[in-house]
Amino acid sequence: MIALLSCPPTEQEFCRELGAALAKRGVAARLAISDVTHGESFLGGIEENVRSADALIALVFDRQPASRVQELEWRAFLEAAWADPAHKRLIPVVVGEARLPGALTRWQALSVPRNVAPEWLADRLWQVLQAPWTGMLELSASEKRKLRRRFQQVSRWASVVS
Amino acid sequence: VSGAEFQNAVFINCPFDPDFRPTFDAIVFATTCCGFVPRCASESGTVAEPRMDRILRGIFGSKYSIHDLSRCRGEGSEQLARFNMPLELGMAMARRAMTRGDRKHDWLTLVPEGHQYQRFVSDLAGFDPARYDGTPSSVVPQVVSWLALRPEVENTLLPDQVLELLPAFDRRTHELRRRWHGEPPWPKLVQIAVDLAQSHL
């Protein structure tokens, strides 16, 4: 199994340790930007890595706004998971008090403390990867209500700005 | 425009010719399905205001903008390329430099697949423009994946759902344009998008 890891630049050391811990469990894990060289399109390089991956693990840390590269990683993850929801496993990991971007809330997230050890997280991820894949979550009734309200606001905003 | 209208507006900077209309409509519809209000240079319906003023008003009145550069290629017997879109992208980039905090302007550029754009606008290489093949079905995931990650958004329709509803949007907007001799009031067009998006929930 191949897994890609997305994390903020400041957490790459943690992610490398997590990748090593996953490797001990038979998962070939690497950073989503691995082998993407300067001068080429980051997005194109990430998309290339995503194509060959089975699992896409998006680590969202608190106190760390998403970097430009991390946002590109999430976009590539989303597009791949939307296109092949039955096979591409997108697993958001909320570290500490982080808030998931709305688009990533459609997948079951793992929530872990800020001081989580890479080995412990690798175990949790290994369990998730062994379990049958349930795919994307349906919107709840309250989420649908909120989205409906937002669409109604779009009508009002369109009248104001035109 | 201020407050919520600004924070949730996306100015769409695309060609307006009939050949491009299906893609333009797909971008407008996808934007609405992400919970943002789409804006464009023709939204006011007035020809009394110069086009450049309308574009500036749209870019300055929107937190976000989408710029399609897929037509930057030679056309016609003289092989002239259109440069309106890059000019307007330049305005959005300047706008970004002028704004701060949660009003900071952000933009998405759409370019043709491949690396051709690096030859005609190499300075964009560091910005990772979204590539698509010129069809509505390939532009929708690019627009949705970008807008779905904006901080204003909690949920959106998914690209498949947008594409499923798109033929109905095309039919209804075609009829609306016919009734208004090609220039329907912008809020009516957005309302069609809103009604269809809501119908999927």
Side-chain angles (χ1 to χ4, degrees):
Chain A
M1 176 174 279
I2 299 173
L4 285 190
L5 303 170
S6 164
C7 68
T10 49
E11 303 292 344
Q12 284 187 1
E13 194 46 48
F14 173 86
C15 268
R16 285 199 185 90
E17 288 177 35
L18 176 62
L22 283 166
K24 285 192 234 164
R25 292 156 178 84
V27 179
R30 58 191 187 130
L31 297 179
I33 51 162
S34 299
D35 303 326
V36 179
T37 52
H38 285 290
E40 74 175 276
S41 152
F42 263 108
L43 187 56
I46 295 163
E47 283 169 347
E48 193 64 41
N49 288 340
V50 165
R51 265 191 282 279
S52 58
D54 307 293
L56 309 167
I57 300 170
L59 291 114
V60 184
F61 285 75
D62 55 4
R63 301 191 292 271
Q64 299 282 352
S67 67
R68 190 183 70 86
V69 171
Q70 202 176 13
E71 195 188 303
L72 293 175
E73 290 169 349
W74 293 346
R75 275 169 58 191
F77 282 14
L78 285 172
E79 284 168 30
W82 284 333
D84 189 5
H87 299 102
K88 289 282 182 195
R89 291 172 173 240
L90 203 165
I91 305 168
V93 178
V94 181
V95 184
E97 300 300 313
R99 181 177 167 270
L100 271 186
L104 293 179
T105 59
R106 297 293 294 271
W107 288 268
Q108 185 67 55
L110 272 181
S111 197
V112 297
R114 186 69 180 81
N115 58 354
V116 64
E119 284 285 345
W120 187 85
L121 179 54
D123 260 340
R124 292 281 308 274
L125 285 167
W126 172 241
Q127 286 163 16
V128 171
L129 293 171
Q130 292 305 295
W133 178 236
T134 50
M136 289 180 70
L137 304 170
E138 290 293 321
L139 286 181
S140 67
S142 77
E143 286 170 330
K144 283 185 181 178
R145 264 197 308 277
K146 270 192 195 169
L147 189 51
R148 220 174 271 130
R149 271 203 300 275
R150 188 163 170 99
F151 287 146
Q152 284 160 4
Q153 285 174 320
V154 170
S155 291
R156 284 196 290 278
W157 294 328
S159 307
V160 172
V161 298
S162 298
Chain B
V1 175
S2 61
E5 294 87 13
F6 166 85
Q7 207 75 15
N8 294 285
V10 180
F11 183 78
I12 299 169
N13 171 34
C14 291
F16 281 112
D17 58 87
D19 287 349
F20 196 82
R21 177 146 291 160
T23 305
F24 173 74
D25 284 348
I27 297 171
V28 168
F29 187 52
T31 299
T32 308
C33 291
C34 290
F36 287 92
V37 57
R39 305 190 60 184
C40 76
S42 66
E43 69 187 10
S44 67
T46 172
V47 288
E49 189 182 15
R51 181 180 152 81
M52 193 50 77
D53 289 357
R54 283 183 273 151
I55 290 168
L56 274 173
R57 195 161 51 83
I59 290 174
F60 277 59
S62 307
K63 183 175 176 187
Y64 301 109
S65 55
I66 295 175
H67 306 263
D68 190 297
L69 304 188
S70 61
R71 288 294 188 79
C72 293
R73 56 167 191 248
E75 288 179 349
S77 58
E78 294 178 276
Q79 284 295 296
L80 292 173
R82 290 191 243 181
F83 284 97
N84 286 338
M85 303 301 133
L87 175 69
E88 290 145 17
L89 170 61
M91 293 177 195
M93 293 170 105
R95 179 66 180 152
R96 181 173 169 82
M98 292 163 66
T99 46
R100 302 221 182 291
D102 69 351
R103 287 184 70 86
K104 195 169 183 72
H105 190 82
D106 204 354
W107 44 270
L108 172 73
T109 310
L110 300 164
V111 295
E113 273 186 341
H115 297 280
Q116 203 182 19
Y117 78 91
Q118 289 176 346
R119 281 161 43 206
F120 66 77
V121 56
S122 58
D123 283 352
L124 267 189
F127 293 96
D128 275 287
R131 282 172 277 184
Y132 81 109
D133 67 8
T135 63
S137 58
S138 69
V139 82
V140 164
Q142 298 290 349
V143 171
V144 176
S145 70
W146 183 64
L147 287 177
L149 289 170
R150 299 309 98 205
E152 291 79 10
V153 169
E154 281 188 40
N155 273 299
T156 68
L157 292 193
L158 302 174
D160 276 359
Q161 297 169 324
V162 177
L163 289 169
E164 191 186 318
L165 294 167
L166 193 54
F169 181 68
D170 286 342
R171 275 195 306 277
R172 293 196 199 175
T173 51
H174 178 80
E175 176 58 21
L176 183 74
R177 286 187 175 113
R178 193 190 61 73
R179 278 192 277 126
W180 286 86
H181 304 285
E183 295 290 341
W186 189 249
K188 284 191 184 294
L189 193 137
V190 174
Q191 189 59 50
I192 290 175
V194 166
D195 290 344
L196 283 166
Q198 285 189 317
S199 74
H200 210 287
L201 293 173

